[in-house]
Amino acid sequence: MPVSTSPQGTPIWRLRTTRSQWLGYLGWLAGACLFLLCWKVISDNTMWVFVEDAGRQGGDLISRMLPPQWAYAHRLWKPMWDTLNIATLGTLLGIAMAFPVAFLAARNTTPHPLVRSAALVIIVASRSINSLIWAMLLVTILGPGVLAGIIAIALRSIGFIGKLLYEAIEEIHPTPVEAISATGAGRMQVMSYGVLPQVMPAFAGISVYRWDINIRESTVLGLVGAGGIGLQLNAAINSLAWNQVSVIFVMIFVTVLASEWISARVRHAII
Amino acid sequence: MLTLTGVNKRYPTGDRALTDIDLNLPRGQVMALIGPSGAGKSTLIRCVNRLVEPTSGSIRLEETELTRLSGNALRRARRAMAMIFQEYALVDRLTVMENVLSGRLGYVGFWRSFTRRYPQEDIAEAFRLLDRVGLPHALDKRADALSGGQRQRVGIARALIQRPRLLLVDEPTASLDPKTSRQIMRLIRELCAERELAAIINIHDVALAQQFADRIVGLRAGEIVFDGKPHELDADTLTTIYGEEEWDTRVNEEDAESEPASAEPVPRMALATGGAS
């Protein structure tokens, strides 16, 4: 009992009983033991001879990357443009598909619990598969190129946008929705007057945020042949042209930085 | 005009919100519904426009049996009953004009409402109503830029543009200061008289109810325990409705004197809950 009485008769209060206090210590001990055990397993599976000269290897790699072969940059503008297009068009396509799915998945706007389950399955399926894996599948189906990349990005975005948007829909104030229903408005009118204005800021913020993530993801899609700057990256690594790889890294870095800046500005302007 | 017969409401949790409510509201009558929190006042008016489904009983608006309607028939019936809310229930991110026009959603098709192309007579009526409730300057402001009293005026305009026959008013003044409360109640009262509207007004403030209603109905634990004229409401009936309490609002002078600890004289207060004063 946290509350007890001392021999002098003054009440004593503690947050935990002695029993739960000891159970807590025991839990921490068990956790520490598990951590050390895992450490041991990983260590036994590591070839320490390779790790020992990691510093030298890393230094060697960096020395081959430097100085970057800047002349190579002019061949990267086109793939970089492709990458931006994959991200932007993929995001737009994803938004178009995620928007209705979110309304079907939200508890307060879904027409039927079964429809809700179906919408949730779409969202989970889309989220559980990385866009790189979507791209691999789509390159097999559609052949290599930008189209596979766009669709891969779109499919991955449905889950992300759909999930965040349906959570936003479930958090709206119910009274304006009641008020609009009480006027005799139809189902779609209740959505467009009662629900949509309330989720608009969240929707815009989520979309821009996803666009920003998609720029980063689309830079690697080329590794599996789905177009964009990843193709060049793959080729440069395969031919051990490390001074070209460093140019690509710098370009990706600058692009991602710019997209983060834009999305931060846009979100700031909306919210 | 509105007739409730044997209306019961039991929530899925098992709570009985309404028990055997029989009520008849003639045309043009303003009725105040008073009672403690949780007595079922909100449930009662929400049963009428079916935001809450009554468990059993019959609710008739003129010739229409409301409890059995669904789909388009329910939409049509709802156009005749406008509701005004405690927290105004405006859509914050829409403009005042859009909020007022949303009262016409029951009459306008989806695409027209989505693209905000309302019929010209609706727009003219919206201008007239905003003028009538005293907000002609505010039509392009966003609803969340207004004060509480102004927002409730927008709520009233939205209700009236429906051209209803019945007003359902849920605690219109609970979030407002005493002066604004009076103004809002007076406005609702005047508009009901102008348009010959019947109204059910849920209200906590007994003094306001007595001042502005034609009839007072007291609800306690889901049952009607008082139904009469405002002047018939005395300390005994208030005790029946709300439970034991000192209903005299004047601070009793003997009480003040019998408190030796208080050195300063207790100021006379006139609280706005007056029963039999």
Side-chain angles (χ1 to χ4, degrees):
Chain A
M1 262 304 193
V3 179
S4 57
T5 316
S6 73
Q8 284 79 36
T10 48
I12 298 169
W13 176 84
R14 286 202 187 83
L15 182 60
R16 295 191 175 84
T17 58
T18 320
R19 195 179 127 81
S20 66
Q21 188 81 67
W22 278 105
L23 281 174
Y25 291 146
L26 219 69
W28 279 103
L29 185 65
C33 289
L34 184 69
F35 178 76
L36 289 173
L37 184 74
C38 295
W39 186 283
K40 169 111 180 28
V41 172
I42 293 168
S43 158
D44 288 350
N45 284 312
T46 307
M47 291 186 174
W48 287 103
V49 273
F50 286 118
V51 180
E52 266 151 26
D53 72 340
R56 206 169 51 75
Q57 293 287 355
D60 187 41
L61 191 61
I62 291 173
S63 78
R64 287 187 219 194
M65 283 183 165
L66 294 174
Q69 191 192 331
W70 293 115
Y72 180 58
H74 78 272
R75 279 165 58 195
L76 293 177
W77 297 122
K78 174 70 173 54
M80 201 68 226
W81 176 241
D82 283 350
T83 301
L84 290 175
N85 281 335
I86 291 172
T88 309
L89 293 176
T91 310
L92 289 176
L93 198 61
I95 290 170
M97 292 188 279
F99 188 78
V101 172
F103 276 81
L104 299 178
R107 214 172 261 117
N108 47 352
T109 52
T110 190
H112 194 273
L114 279 178
V115 179
R116 173 164 198 264
S117 313
L120 287 178
V121 167
I122 294 176
I123 288 174
V124 170
S126 152
R127 275 164 58 78
S128 58
I129 301 174
N130 190 292
S131 46
L132 206 58
I133 297 173
W134 277 121
M136 260 169 67
L137 297 174
L138 287 160
V139 166
T140 323
I141 299 166
L142 295 168
V146 179
L147 182 65
I150 292 173
I151 298 178
I153 290 288
L155 288 178
R156 175 65 184 84
S157 302
I158 295 175
F160 182 91
I161 298 172
K163 181 174 168 61
L164 292 180
L165 185 59
Y166 98 70
E167 282 171 354
I169 294 172
E170 286 185 350
E171 278 166 23
I172 58 169
H173 290 294
T175 44
V177 178
E178 266 196 329
I180 300 294
S181 316
T183 63
R187 213 186 157 73
M188 294 293 283
Q189 288 174 322
V190 174
M191 302 278 174
S192 80
Y193 274 73
V195 181
L196 194 57
Q198 295 198 59
V199 297
M200 232 26 216
F203 177 56
I206 293 163
S207 301
V208 176
Y209 183 35
R210 186 64 221 184
W211 174 74
D212 168 22
I213 296 172
N214 283 345
I215 297 259
R216 275 172 272 153
E217 295 211 332
S218 59
T219 56
V220 295
L221 288 184
L223 294 180
V224 295
I229 201 160
L231 282 172
Q232 266 62 27
L233 183 63
N234 203 17
I237 292 175
N238 285 342
S239 58
L240 302 178
W242 293 105
N243 52 358
Q244 295 182 354
V245 171
S246 56
V247 177
I248 297 173
F249 280 174
V250 169
M251 271 190 120
I252 292 177
F253 181 74
V254 171
T255 312
V256 169
L257 213 63
S259 77
E260 292 234 13
W261 182 77
I262 292 170
S263 88
R265 288 297 295 267
V266 171
R267 267 181 288 162
H268 190 76
I270 299 165
I271 295 162
Chain B
M1 185 192 72
L2 179 75
T3 317
L4 287 78
T5 335
V7 173
N8 283 288
K9 172 65 191 174
R10 188 195 285 274
Y11 282 105
T13 50
D15 298 327
R16 258 197 113 85
L18 296 173
T19 312
D20 260 335
I21 300 291
D22 292 311
L23 202 61
N24 187 14
L25 193 70
R27 191 176 179 80
Q29 185 179 67
V30 175
M31 185 194 101
L33 195 59
I34 63 171
S37 306
K41 305 191 296 291
S42 282
T43 306
L44 179 67
I45 63 167
R46 280 176 162 75
C47 277
V48 174
N49 67 0
R50 297 271 304 279
L51 289 178
V52 168
E53 293 297 330
T55 313
S56 65
S58 139
I59 303 174
R60 298 180 75 85
L61 181 69
E62 282 155 3
E63 295 313 307
T64 323
E65 171 62 52
L66 297 172
T67 49
R68 277 198 279 280
L69 298 178
S70 65
N72 278 335
L74 178 61
R75 284 187 60 187
R76 267 196 301 280
R78 275 177 172 168
R79 301 194 302 208
M81 307 177 277
M83 190 156 175
I84 296 171
F85 292 80
Q86 172 180 354
E87 296 287 351
Y88 328 121
L90 303 180
V91 184
D92 279 343
R93 297 180 58 84
L94 296 184
T95 62
V96 166
M97 195 63 174
E98 284 170 298
N99 268 293
V100 174
L101 285 171
S102 70
R104 295 302 290 176
L105 286 176
Y107 298 87
V108 177
F110 173 75
W111 280 110
R112 288 199 87 158
S113 66
F114 188 76
T115 53
R116 300 338 188 220
R117 283 183 296 108
Y118 284 86
Q120 190 51 47
E121 63 265 34
D122 288 356
I123 292 168
E125 176 70 3
F127 274 105
R128 261 200 303 281
L129 279 167
L130 280 174
D131 210 36
R132 177 65 185 82
V133 300
L135 286 174
H137 52 280
L139 77 160
D140 250 343
K141 278 190 187 158
R142 250 171 61 162
D144 53 5
L146 303 180
S147 70
Q150 290 175 322
R151 305 177 101 203
Q152 193 57 290
R153 286 164 193 274
V154 177
I156 292 170
R158 174 177 66 188
L160 289 175
I161 203 169
Q162 275 181 245
R163 288 184 224 278
R165 280 167 283 161
L166 172 67
L167 272 186
L168 302 167
V169 192
D170 194 12
E171 301 285 0
T173 61
S175 315
L176 301 174
D177 66 63
K179 184 180 172 208
T180 318
S181 296
R182 259 148 230 281
Q183 292 170 339
I184 292 291
M185 284 301 287
R186 188 170 299 117
L187 181 64
I188 293 176
R189 178 76 244 209
E190 286 170 7
L191 290 165
C192 284
E194 281 168 25
R195 297 167 177 242
E196 244 198 298
L197 294 178
I200 303 181
I201 306 179
N202 286 353
I203 191 157
H204 269 302
D205 192 324
V206 178
L208 275 184
Q210 286 181 303
Q211 190 179 347
F212 291 105
D214 304 322
R215 172 184 172 193
I216 293 190
V217 169
L219 210 57
R220 179 179 191 172
E223 287 177 82
I224 292 179
V225 291
F226 173 80
D227 187 348
K229 297 268 172 228
H231 64 83
E232 292 167 18
L233 200 63
D234 55 19
D236 284 344
T237 38
L238 283 174
T239 301
T240 324
I241 298 168
Y242 291 96
E244 202 63 54
E245 181 51 78
E246 178 56 65
W247 294 109
D248 197 344
T249 49
R250 290 163 304 180
V251 173
N252 202 318
E253 273 161 47
E254 290 140 49
D255 281 357
E257 280 163 8
S258 69
E259 278 215 33
S262 66
E264 288 174 37
V266 179
R268 271 172 155 262
M269 293 172 85
L271 293 175
T273 52
S277 50

